């Protein structure tokens, strides 16, 4: 790309929930990068997959033709968000995430969940 060209923006990139999901994933990847390399491989892998899945499902759902499919993918994204919170609690209890780290993650997750729920409800209401 040259200096004056604008980058194409895909429809899912315009969604606030997508940006929030990417921010959450980035924050969690940063925390995971600090963990000892030789412990808890499976839990770390599960956390990486779950947090990445949130943004992936939002993006994939936005690319679907029907509103009902988009809602389904948003619901899957919300389920992945809840999985991240459950795993975060386990990490916290094992003292792998500090209380401050978990409070930050929970705060980000709460905002994302409210926005996801709002989008899902809006999509349900707009078809009536």
């Amino acid at each position: 790309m040259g200096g004056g060209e604008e980058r194409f923006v895909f429809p899912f990139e315009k969604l606030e929930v997508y940006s929030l999901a990417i921010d959450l994933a980035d924050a969690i990847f940063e925390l995971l990068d600090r963990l000892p390399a030789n412990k808890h491989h499976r839990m770390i892998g599960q956390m990486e997959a779950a947090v990445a899945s949130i943004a992936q499902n939002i993006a994939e759902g936005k690319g679907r033709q029907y509103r009902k499919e988009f809602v389904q993918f948003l619901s899957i994204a919300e389920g992945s968000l809840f999985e991240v919170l459950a795993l975060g609690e386990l990490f916290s209890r094992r003292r792998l995430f500090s209380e401050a780290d978990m409070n930050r993650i929970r705060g980000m997750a709460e905002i994302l969940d409210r926005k996801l729920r709002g989008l899902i409800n809006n999509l349900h209401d707009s078809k009536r």
Side-chain angles (χ1 to χ4, degrees):
M1 280 189 156
E5 295 177 36
E6 286 192 38
R7 180 179 142 206
F8 179 77
V9 178
F10 290 91
F12 66 87
E13 292 175 310
K14 297 174 187 177
L15 296 172
E16 183 181 14
V17 290
Y18 175 78
S19 294
L20 292 170
I22 291 293
D23 291 344
L24 178 63
D26 190 46
I28 288 180
F29 286 144
E30 187 178 300
L31 292 176
L32 295 175
D33 285 345
R34 292 191 228 151
L35 297 180
N38 59 348
K39 284 189 92 174
H40 305 291
H41 293 293
R42 291 194 68 199
M43 275 184 40
I44 291 170
Q46 282 182 274
M47 178 67 97
E48 289 171 338
V51 77
S53 176
I54 301 166
Q56 290 169 323
N57 277 291
I58 293 167
E60 185 173 353
K62 184 63 177 167
R64 296 299 171 136
Q65 185 173 358
Y66 299 105
R67 182 180 304 145
K68 185 177 179 179
E69 291 176 294
F70 186 27
V71 168
Q72 175 78 25
F73 278 92
L74 292 173
S75 296
I76 294 167
E78 187 177 42
S80 294
L81 176 62
F82 293 166
E83 183 180 357
V84 166
L85 290 169
L87 286 163
E89 181 64 27
L90 292 171
F91 278 84
S92 181
R93 288 185 182 204
R94 301 293 309 156
R95 294 183 190 90
L96 298 168
F97 286 178
S98 71
E99 185 177 340
D101 291 335
M102 264 318 287
N103 287 340
R104 180 172 169 243
I105 295 304
R106 288 185 68 85
M108 294 175 79
E110 181 181 349
I111 293 166
L112 176 54
D113 187 49
R114 286 181 183 185
K115 301 281 184 177
L116 272 172
R117 246 318 94 205
L119 182 53
I120 290 168
N121 290 340
N122 186 288
L123 290 166
H124 278 303
D125 291 346
S126 67
K127 68 179 177 184
R128 291 180 188 155

